[in-house]
């Protein structure tokens, strides 16, 4: 049904240079994926912390100047009265929050889709206060000849989703926040449906249920409306906590195919396919009863954040082959292969 | 010494409350905030009421003088039966804010349903029939208000996503799809508005920019205290705060503001500017609707000069 | 027919509250917890006033009879804006307690900031100029009262360090110089099931009696609508205050009147000081619902009697 690549994990933190000489790369994971010319490009999420030093607390942060972000280190003595250690995730210094690990987006390139070289320089780096705790989980959608990249921006306001575009994966144009907080896991459809751009998104709706997958439409990819809740977590251990969308939906003869993730019991992540109507993607046609991928291998069950498989990057080839790039344990990139026919048959 | 000094910028009407449960010709459980507008000399309020089942709906109230209102028993807006809106309004509609724009009255209101709170948009010309236009926000968004004119060629609104408990704004070309979201103002640690803020009445265009009335909450061990404050936003870019009052313009003090289903609440979603006097209609303790007045100049002065106050 | 025992041991003054925001000659939000002192027949109360911005500071009220007061036109102590103290006073000054000791008036107060609450000490000779002395605790401590005389040659105080799960008890500690404190020992703890089940703290600076040090303290019990603050008493050994001689079972004052029940924080009576008149009549000044200042009276022997019951 689905084959993990024997070379897994195909990208590890040690393959990647930190963005500051005193930073340390803790994770290279959750990649967006796209075919560009004869290359496969992954948009890696690179998480970094600071090299430890005895008796000191050191945390990374970004300083913003003239619309650009610069990597900095806050280093203070452990017994400094201005410091309060929160837990392993961060510290408060002079009343301001700092996280111990923050992320940016980096490109990795390959000709065979398996062996990747990670760029030394960041591709999308936090550039303003709304991104002060980092940028995460990029997803790429090619519409006409432009590549739309949406990614999660994290700040004191929580997490929101921003949009950027590129033609060449060198220059990038920021389009700002398209889904206000709390909102992430945005998957933009690769073409208009009934004259409108469409997207799946995941607000943190807590009203009378659990965080669910929503559908939304836009005339211009910037302004969004007609929000509808289309997929809710089911009463099963795989989806006990929440669900969220993955990579851009794939158009098939039977409908839009999307692979989403569920967060279930003991914070375990797993992947499920779902089929949406071609004419009206807010209509769910079929939804798998069992996950197609869940943590089994040691690189999926042991790591920075154990028991996580998370995909936001899929490449589908004309012959129906589907390559699922996924993050394992918030630490490495792995690859699994299946096909459109296979996924349709189990739905 | 007593009575010599005004501790609140806003002066309470001596006849408060304007609408109390006992004034109604019908039975309901509670009165919340109201949108307010003056149309052909007539004062119109859209008052949120909670019925005995716990569902909310919006009722129309009219007055000749702005002080004495007749409230219609039949609701002006209640949970929709239309397929596009039903799931979003199962527990009711509430907290309307009116914006008069392009010769029509737009109403941003809160839908309460399966997904929590969402902002919805409706429009009316005559306050007899109302047309719903769409659900215009992601879930868990409250306190929405449309600006009365386009800003840089786009419609603009204020909103409060649950995350962060602060005021954001978004832009739109069509009133239905919204984006370009950014933060306007945030709670201030240590202040009366330290824990949560949201837009109160619809922003009013004044000489200095946009007058923003907002509600601010400070949590105490016996529950939150909700007060009203003010700020002035830049006309071209409302995310730029020109001035913000360090002190509230009104705080709960009277019994009708302190005692009710929610204690210690003054909260507004409607105000009317008449010449230089601002009439602020505010809900008190989730129990009745009151009126406070102030000179516009006093609020503007407070925004600009209150840094000297303690 | 014998008069039925009243629910509260303390007698509320009929003219309560003695001060509200209407009595303050400058713009502010509320006036509440205040600490009294009697100097040459004049009654002074150092008041906690909460400004409109939301932080507190101190003002001074003056009266001739202990019931009717006028408030000075300007605040007397504001949070420091610069210097050593400023950093820990950004959220204001709270709950002053005055103790007269060795010819000086010491003011113990809570300094509030983003770091939390810590205890500070200031002094004055004349209630015209005030001098900050030092911070005398780390964050997480408040409700500090200074004993009015040395015990075994050392200054002594009660305070309320916050323990685990927000439970707080009253502790005693000692100092040679009022700045450095040590020999901390707990005095009394909250009592599960009682009115003071959740947290307690010192309120009135200890009063010396022939039965021991009398402390009027506050305690609260948590309800779904928030805490209910009440007052109780404890008698401590004159030589060793960590040794408890007696503790009142019942509260001596509970919120009942509207000015105690309805305000910015509902259901609070909270004392910061008392005056013992020459005839042993005690005037206890307390904040009602964080929105008014009130006074209640009782004879000293009744208080002691109640502590033993």
């Amino acid at each position: 049904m689905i084959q993990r690549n024997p070379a897994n994990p195909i990208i590890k933190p040690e393959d990647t240079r930190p963005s500051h000489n005193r930073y340390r790369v803790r994770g290279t994971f959750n990649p967006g994926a796209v075919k560009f010319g004869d290359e496969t490009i992954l948009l890696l999420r690179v998480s970094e912390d600071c090299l430890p030093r005895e008796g000191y607390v050191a945390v990374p942060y970004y300083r913003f100047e003239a619309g650009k972000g610069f990597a900095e280190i806050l280093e203070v003595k452990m017994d400094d009265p201005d410091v309060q250690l929160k837990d392993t995730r961060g510290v408060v210094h002079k009343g301001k929050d700092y996280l111990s690990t923050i992320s940016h987006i980096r490109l990795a390139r390959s000709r065979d889709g398996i062996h990747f070289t990670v760029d030394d320089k960041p591709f999308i780096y936090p550039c303003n206060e709304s991104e002060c705790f980092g940028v995460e989980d990029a997803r790429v959608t090619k519409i006409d000849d432009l590549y739309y990249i949406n990614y999660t921006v994290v700040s004191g306001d929580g997490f929101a989703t921003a949009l950027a575009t590129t033609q060449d994966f060198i220059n990038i144009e920021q389009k700002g926040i398209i889904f206000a907080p709390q909102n992430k896991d945005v998957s933009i459809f690769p073409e208009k449906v009934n004259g409108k751009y469409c997207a799946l998104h995941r607000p943190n709706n807590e009203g009378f249920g659990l965080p669910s997958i929503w559908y939304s439409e836009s005339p211009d990819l910037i302004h969004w409306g007609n929000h509808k809740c289309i997929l809710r977590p089911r009463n099963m251990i795989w989806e006990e906590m929440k669900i969220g969308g993955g990579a851009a939906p794939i158009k098939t003869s039977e409908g839009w195919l999307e692979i989403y993730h569920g967060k279930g019991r003991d914070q375990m992540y797993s992947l499920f396919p779902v089929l949406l109507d071609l004419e009206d993607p807010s209509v769910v046609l079929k939804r798998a009863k069992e996950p197609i991928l869940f943590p089994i291998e040691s690189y999926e069950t042991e790591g920075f954040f154990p028991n996580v498989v998370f995909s936001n990057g899929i490449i589908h080839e004309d012959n129906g082959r589907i390559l699922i790039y996924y993050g394992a344990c918030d630490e490495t990139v792995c690859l699994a292969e299946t096909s459109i026919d296979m996924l349709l048959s189990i739905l | 010494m007593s009575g010599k000094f005004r501790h609140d910028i806003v002066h309470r009407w001596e006849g408060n409350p304007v609408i109390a449960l006992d004034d109604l010709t019908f039975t309901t459980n509670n009165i919340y905030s109201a949108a307010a507008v003056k149309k052909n000399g007539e004062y119109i309020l859209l008052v949120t009421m909670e019925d005995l089942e716990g569902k909310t709906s919006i009722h129309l109230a009219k007055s000749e003088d702005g002080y004495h209102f007749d409230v219609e028993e039949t609701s002006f807006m209640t949970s929709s039966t239309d397929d596009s809106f039903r799931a979003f309004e199962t527990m009711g509609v509430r907290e309307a804010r009116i914006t008069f724009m392009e010769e029509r009255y737009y109403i941003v209101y809160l839908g309460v349903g399966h997904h929590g709170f969402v902002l919805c948009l409706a429009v009316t010309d005559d306050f007899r029939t109302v047309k719903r236009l769409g659900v215009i926000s992601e879930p868990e968004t409250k306190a929405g208000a449309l600006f009365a004119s386009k800003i840089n060629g786009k419609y603009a609104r204020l909103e409060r996503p649950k995350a962060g408990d602060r005021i954001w704004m978004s832009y739109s070309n069509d009133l239905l799809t919204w984006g370009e979201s950014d933060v306007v103002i945030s709670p201030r640690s240590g202040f009366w508005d330290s824990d949560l803020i949201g837009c109160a009445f619809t922003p009013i265009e004044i000489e200095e920019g946009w007058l923003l009335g907002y509600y601010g909450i400070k949590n105490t061990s016996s529950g939150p205290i909700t007060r009203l404050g003010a700020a002035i936003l830049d006309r071209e870019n409302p995310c730029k705060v020109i001035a913000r009052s360090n002190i509230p313009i009104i705080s709960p003090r009277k019994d009708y503001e302190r005692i009710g289903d929610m204690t210690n609440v003054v909260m507004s979603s409607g105000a009317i500017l008449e010449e230089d006097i601002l009439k602020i209609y505010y809900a008190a303790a989730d129990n009745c609707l009151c009126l406070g007045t102030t000179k516009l100049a006093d609020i503007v002065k407070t925004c600009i000069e209150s840094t000297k106050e303690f | 027919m014998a008069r039925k025992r009243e629910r509260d041991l303390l007698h509320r003054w009929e003219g309560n509250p003695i001060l509200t925001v209407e009595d303050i000659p400058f713009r502010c939000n509320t006036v509440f917890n205040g600490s009294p002192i009697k100097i040459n027949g004049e009654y002074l109360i150092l008041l906690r006033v909460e400004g409109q911005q939301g932080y507190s500071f101190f003002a001074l009220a003056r009266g001739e009879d202990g019931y009717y007061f006028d408030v000075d036109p300007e605040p007397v102590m504001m949070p420091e804006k610069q210097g050593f103290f400023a950093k820990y006073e950004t959220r204001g000054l709270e709950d002053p307690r005055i103790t007269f000791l060795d010819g000086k008036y010491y003011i113990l107060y809570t300094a509030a900031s983003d770091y939390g609450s810590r205890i500070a000490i200031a002094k004055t000779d004349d209630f015209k100029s005030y001098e900050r002395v030092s911070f005398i605790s780390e964050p997480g401590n408040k409700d500090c009262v200074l004993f009015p005389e040395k015990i075994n040659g050392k200054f002594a105080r009660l305070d309320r360090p916050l323990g685990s799960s927000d439970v707080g008890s009253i502790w005693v500690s000692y100092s040679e110089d009022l700045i450095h404190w040590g020999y901390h020992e707990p005095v009394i703890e909250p009592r599960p099931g009682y009115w003071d089940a959740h947290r307690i703290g010192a309120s009135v600076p200890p009063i010396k009696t022939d039965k021991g040090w009398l402390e009027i303290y506050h305690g609260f019990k948590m309800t779904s609508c928030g805490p209910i603050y009440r007052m109780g008493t404890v008698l401590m050994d004159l030589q060793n205050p960590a040794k408890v001689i007696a503790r009142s079972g019942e509260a001596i004052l509970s919120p009942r009147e509207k000015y105690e029940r309805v305000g910015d924080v509902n259901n609070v009576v909270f004392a910061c000081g008392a005056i013992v008149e020459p005839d042993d009549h005690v005037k206890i000044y307390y904040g009602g619902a964080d929105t008014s200042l009130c006074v209640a009276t009782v004879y000293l022997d009744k208080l002691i009697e109640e502590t033993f019951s």
Side-chain angles (χ1 to χ4, degrees):
Chain A
M1 182 169 87
I2 188 161
Q3 278 97 37
R4 288 173 172 82
N5 195 291
N8 277 351
I10 59 170
I11 301 177
K12 295 186 208 152
E14 46 269 40
D15 305 335
T16 304
R17 259 172 95 130
S19 66
H20 183 290
N21 59 10
R22 289 199 44 213
Y23 281 8
R24 170 173 69 175
V25 175
R26 296 308 301 269
T28 48
F29 58 109
N30 298 6
V34 65
K35 204 84 179 160
F36 184 68
D38 56 357
E39 279 186 329
T40 300
I41 293 182
L42 297 185
L43 291 84
L44 296 178
R45 171 174 168 192
V46 174
S47 69
E48 299 172 304
D49 67 0
C50 286
L51 290 165
R53 185 172 147 201
E54 189 77 22
Y56 286 83
V57 182
V59 288
Y61 73 96
Y62 303 115
R63 175 173 55 84
F64 300 111
E65 202 180 292
K68 283 183 77 173
F70 298 89
E72 298 282 348
I73 291 173
L74 171 78
E75 184 166 72
V76 285
K77 284 204 167 136
M78 204 75 99
D79 55 3
D80 188 316
D82 284 333
V83 166
Q84 293 162 268
L85 293 170
K86 283 205 303 197
D87 49 32
T88 56
R89 286 172 301 170
V91 299
V92 178
H93 181 251
K94 294 186 173 175
K96 207 175 154 194
D97 278 297
Y98 294 85
L99 299 188
S100 52
T101 310
I102 49 182
S103 297
H104 67 271
I105 306 296
R106 192 85 67 95
L107 298 186
R109 301 162 192 277
S110 168
R111 289 195 189 272
D112 64 4
I114 300 169
H115 300 89
F116 282 86
T117 309
V118 182
D119 281 5
D120 284 339
K121 293 244 175 342
F123 180 58
I124 302 176
Y125 210 63
C127 64
N128 62 51
E129 283 299 330
S130 76
E131 305 176 346
C132 66
F133 293 154
V135 294
E136 306 176 350
D137 299 350
R139 289 164 168 86
V140 193
T141 304
K142 186 184 178 195
I143 304 178
D144 302 327
D145 280 328
L146 203 51
Y147 296 88
Y148 290 85
I149 302 167
N150 76 72
Y151 54 96
T152 309
V153 299
V154 190
S155 72
D157 297 314
F159 48 87
T161 297
L163 185 69
T165 57
T166 185
Q167 284 176 309
D168 51 14
F169 287 93
I170 297 167
N171 299 302
I172 187 159
E173 193 179 332
Q174 311 274 0
K175 299 285 188 185
I177 290 177
I178 53 170
F179 289 96
Q182 309 273 49
N183 208 317
K184 50 159 60 171
D185 296 335
V186 171
S187 326
I188 296 174
F189 286 66
E191 60 184 68
K192 287 185 180 181
V193 180
N194 300 321
K196 295 261 174 58
Y197 296 103
C198 322
L200 304 176
H201 63 101
R202 215 289 304 286
N204 240 33
N205 58 302
E206 289 163 353
F208 298 88
L210 294 166
S212 311
I213 296 174
W214 288 58
Y215 169 83
S216 180
E217 293 174 350
S218 172
D220 54 11
L221 288 159
I222 303 291
H223 306 89
W224 293 86
N226 195 18
H227 304 279
K228 287 178 188 164
C229 183
I230 63 166
L231 283 165
R232 297 187 182 83
R234 292 169 290 187
N235 185 17
M236 54 158 61
I237 58 165
W238 304 106
E239 298 182 357
E240 236 168 44
M241 297 176 72
K242 55 186 167 189
I243 59 174
I250 299 163
K251 193 174 190 181
T252 74
S253 56
E254 294 185 29
W256 291 101
L257 179 64
E258 169 69 10
I259 294 175
Y260 72 91
H261 63 268
K263 186 177 181 184
R265 190 166 295 172
D266 302 328
Q267 312 203 39
M268 182 182 282
Y269 280 77
S270 55
L271 301 180
F272 286 85
V274 63
L275 198 66
L276 309 175
D277 189 81
L278 279 178
E279 299 299 315
D280 178 2
S282 72
V283 174
V284 177
L285 301 177
K286 290 172 183 168
R287 183 174 177 185
K289 293 192 174 59
E290 299 287 339
I292 54 164
L293 191 75
F294 58 89
I296 297 177
E297 301 293 338
S298 61
Y299 52 79
E300 296 162 346
T301 58
E302 295 160 28
F304 190 79
F305 205 103
N307 290 321
V308 176
V309 294
F310 185 100
S311 173
N312 46 310
I314 289 179
I315 290 181
H316 69 279
E317 296 176 346
D318 292 340
N319 58 12
R321 185 167 168 238
I322 284 192
L323 300 171
I324 302 174
Y325 292 92
Y326 64 99
C329 300
D330 282 10
E331 187 172 329
T332 61
V333 174
C334 296
L335 172 61
E337 189 180 329
T338 181
S339 69
I340 289 180
D341 289 344
M342 178 67 78
L343 291 176
L344 292 178
S345 72
I346 60 167
L347 278 164
Chain B
M1 200 74 84
S2 178
K4 174 181 147 239
F5 202 90
R6 266 172 74 187
H7 290 272
D8 290 315
I9 310 293
V10 172
H11 171 79
R12 291 168 175 82
W13 182 45
E14 291 75 9
N16 270 347
V18 171
I19 303 176
L21 288 172
D22 289 343
D23 301 336
L24 303 176
T25 56
F26 52 97
T27 308
T28 192
N29 190 44
N30 257 330
I31 297 170
Y32 299 155
S33 68
V37 72
K38 202 171 169 184
K39 180 173 183 274
N40 304 329
E42 190 178 43
Y43 294 82
I44 294 175
L45 301 180
L46 294 178
V47 192
T48 301
M49 299 203 181
E50 183 188 298
D51 68 17
L52 297 172
E53 286 181 349
K55 284 172 75 169
T56 50
S57 54
I58 294 169
H59 288 253
L60 187 78
K62 288 182 179 175
S63 166
E64 296 300 321
D65 61 4
Y67 298 96
H68 304 87
F69 282 86
D70 291 320
V71 186
E72 289 180 3
E73 177 168 355
T74 310
S75 63
F76 178 70
M77 291 185 81
T78 187
S79 300
S80 176
T81 51
D82 182 305
D83 274 348
S84 310
F85 292 90
R86 189 162 47 205
F88 295 96
E89 300 181 2
T90 48
M91 288 309 296
V93 293
R94 62 171 77 162
E95 216 180 289
R97 288 178 178 81
I98 302 174
T99 302
F100 182 61
M101 183 169 64
E102 296 164 358
E103 301 305 311
R104 307 194 77 183
Y105 297 91
Y106 287 92
I107 302 165
V108 179
Y109 67 95
L110 212 50
V112 194
H114 287 315
H115 311 296
F117 297 102
V118 289
L119 296 179
C120 304
L121 182 66
V123 67
T124 182
D125 295 310
D126 52 10
F127 287 96
R128 278 193 287 275
T129 58
V130 60
K131 181 171 183 289
R132 281 170 166 82
L133 299 176
V135 173
I136 57 166
S137 82
E138 300 161 33
E140 307 296 358
T141 308
K142 296 172 91 169
L146 280 183
F147 285 85
S149 58
K150 286 188 175 177
I151 297 173
N152 298 322
K154 286 177 188 156
Y155 297 109
R157 77 171 186 216
L158 296 171
E159 68 215 305
R160 179 171 70 75
K162 190 172 165 190
D165 288 330
R166 69 196 71 200
I167 300 176
W168 286 64
M169 70 172 299
S170 300
Y171 291 94
S172 175
N173 291 312
D174 56 10
L175 287 172
L176 295 177
T177 59
W178 293 84
E180 301 168 77
S181 310
D182 205 351
V183 173
V184 181
I185 61 170
S186 302
R188 294 175 291 193
S189 163
F191 280 76
W192 61 274
D193 51 3
S194 60
D195 292 299
L196 180 154
I197 58 171
C199 170
F201 47 80
T202 307
I204 297 171
E205 195 162 9
I206 59 173
E207 201 184 316
E208 291 80 3
W210 293 100
L211 175 67
L212 168 71
Y214 69 94
Y215 59 91
I217 289 181
K218 173 173 170 166
N219 289 324
T220 76
S221 56
S222 70
I225 303 174
T226 308
R227 301 177 169 105
L228 293 181
I232 300 169
L233 310 179
D234 186 79
R235 195 186 311 278
E236 303 299 322
N237 174 17
C239 286
K240 204 168 121 197
V241 178
I242 293 174
R244 178 178 182 181
S245 176
N246 273 6
I247 65 173
I249 57 172
I250 185 170
S251 303
R253 300 189 190 285
K254 300 285 181 189
D255 281 357
Y256 54 77
E257 296 161 350
R258 290 213 188 264
I259 305 173
D261 273 6
M262 283 285 285
T263 59
N264 288 329
V265 177
V266 295
M267 150 58 184
S268 170
S269 50
I272 295 173
L273 183 63
E274 293 179 308
E275 306 286 330
D276 59 338
I277 300 289
L278 188 65
K279 282 196 165 89
I280 301 172
Y281 293 91
Y282 68 94
D286 279 8
N287 188 48
C288 59
L289 192 76
C290 300
L291 173 61
T293 56
T294 177
K295 283 196 184 123
L296 178 63
D298 284 351
I299 290 203
V300 171
K301 187 163 166 262
T302 303
C303 288
I304 293 166
E305 294 181 3
S306 69
T307 47
K308 292 181 211 140
E309 302 247 5
F310 41 72
Chain C
M1 200 173 93
R3 191 154 169 246
K4 213 167 67 180
R5 189 192 183 288
E6 293 195 19
R7 276 186 294 269
D8 296 304
L9 181 74
L10 301 194
H11 172 79
R12 290 173 178 84
W13 182 51
E14 290 75 8
N16 271 349
I18 57 173
L19 290 173
T20 71
V21 69
E22 298 299 325
D23 303 307
I24 308 294
F26 47 85
R27 179 174 286 143
C28 63
N29 182 48
T30 47
V31 54
F32 47 117
N33 310 341
S35 189
I37 192 86
K38 195 172 169 184
I39 306 175
N40 299 328
E42 188 187 27
Y43 293 80
L44 300 179
I45 305 180
L46 198 57
L47 301 168
R48 173 174 172 189
V49 173
E50 186 182 295
Q52 289 267 2
Q53 279 196 27
Y55 66 83
S56 296
F57 48 84
F58 301 148
L60 192 66
R62 301 165 191 274
E64 298 302 320
D65 59 1
Y67 296 103
Y68 293 93
F69 287 86
D70 283 324
V71 180
D72 282 4
E74 299 289 339
V76 294
M77 267 184 90
M78 295 298 283
E80 286 278 17
K81 289 275 181 281
Q82 49 200 14
F84 176 71
F85 287 85
K87 188 170 167 184
Y88 303 103
E89 296 186 347
T90 52
R91 288 193 181 190
L93 317 178
E94 302 174 354
D95 303 345
R97 273 104 170 175
I98 303 170
T99 296
F100 184 63
L101 172 64
D102 292 349
K104 282 203 182 305
Y105 299 97
Y106 290 97
I107 300 159
L108 287 289
Y109 65 92
T110 303
S113 71
D114 288 344
Y115 295 98
S117 296
R118 57 189 306 203
I119 302 162
I121 182 166
K123 62 184 177 185
T124 180
D125 293 320
D126 49 13
F127 285 92
K128 289 193 185 87
S129 64
Y130 301 81
E131 187 195 333
R132 283 167 169 82
V133 179
S134 179
F135 289 108
I136 54 171
S137 84
E138 289 159 36
N141 202 337
K142 57 188 341 192
D143 296 328
C144 184
V145 293
L146 187 64
F147 285 75
E149 56 185 66
K150 289 186 178 176
I151 298 173
N152 301 322
K154 292 195 176 73
F155 296 108
R157 78 181 199 200
L158 301 175
D159 64 11
R160 208 286 307 286
L162 215 49
S164 62
S165 315
D166 269 7
V167 171
S169 305
I170 298 175
W171 290 57
V172 64
S173 52
Y174 303 90
S175 172
E176 301 277 357
D177 57 7
L178 285 171
I179 295 174
H180 307 90
W181 294 81
Y183 311 104
H184 305 270
E185 273 189 87
V187 182
I188 53 170
E189 292 84 34
R191 295 175 292 193
Y194 280 72
W195 59 271
D196 53 0
H198 196 81
R199 207 190 287 170
I200 56 174
S203 266
V204 175
I207 298 165
K208 195 174 189 183
T209 75
D210 53 6
K211 295 281 194 290
W213 290 109
L214 176 70
E215 169 60 20
I216 299 169
Y217 70 94
H218 64 269
F220 74 76
K221 164 173 145 168
M222 205 58 183
T223 77
S224 58
C225 296
I228 304 172
Y229 275 84
R230 297 179 168 104
M231 273 179 231
T233 55
V234 60
L235 267 169
M236 299 167 282
D237 185 81
L238 284 178
Q239 297 305 315
N240 175 18
K243 199 171 137 197
V244 173
I245 296 168
R247 181 177 180 180
S248 63
E250 297 170 7
I252 58 167
L253 189 75
S254 299
R256 299 190 198 284
E257 298 293 333
K258 197 163 119 187
Y259 51 80
E260 298 160 347
R261 288 211 188 271
V262 181
D264 277 0
V265 183
N266 297 328
N267 289 325
V268 178
V269 293
F270 191 98
C272 283
I275 304 276
V276 184
E277 302 289 1
D279 63 354
D280 278 352
H281 198 221
V282 186
K283 294 189 177 80
I284 299 170
Y285 293 87
Y286 66 97
D290 277 17
T291 303
S292 63
L293 185 73
C294 307
V295 64
T297 59
V298 65
Y299 280 98
L300 191 57
D301 56 350
K302 287 277 178 206
L303 268 183
I304 292 170
E305 195 182 299
E306 178 71 19
T307 310
F308 279 102
S309 71

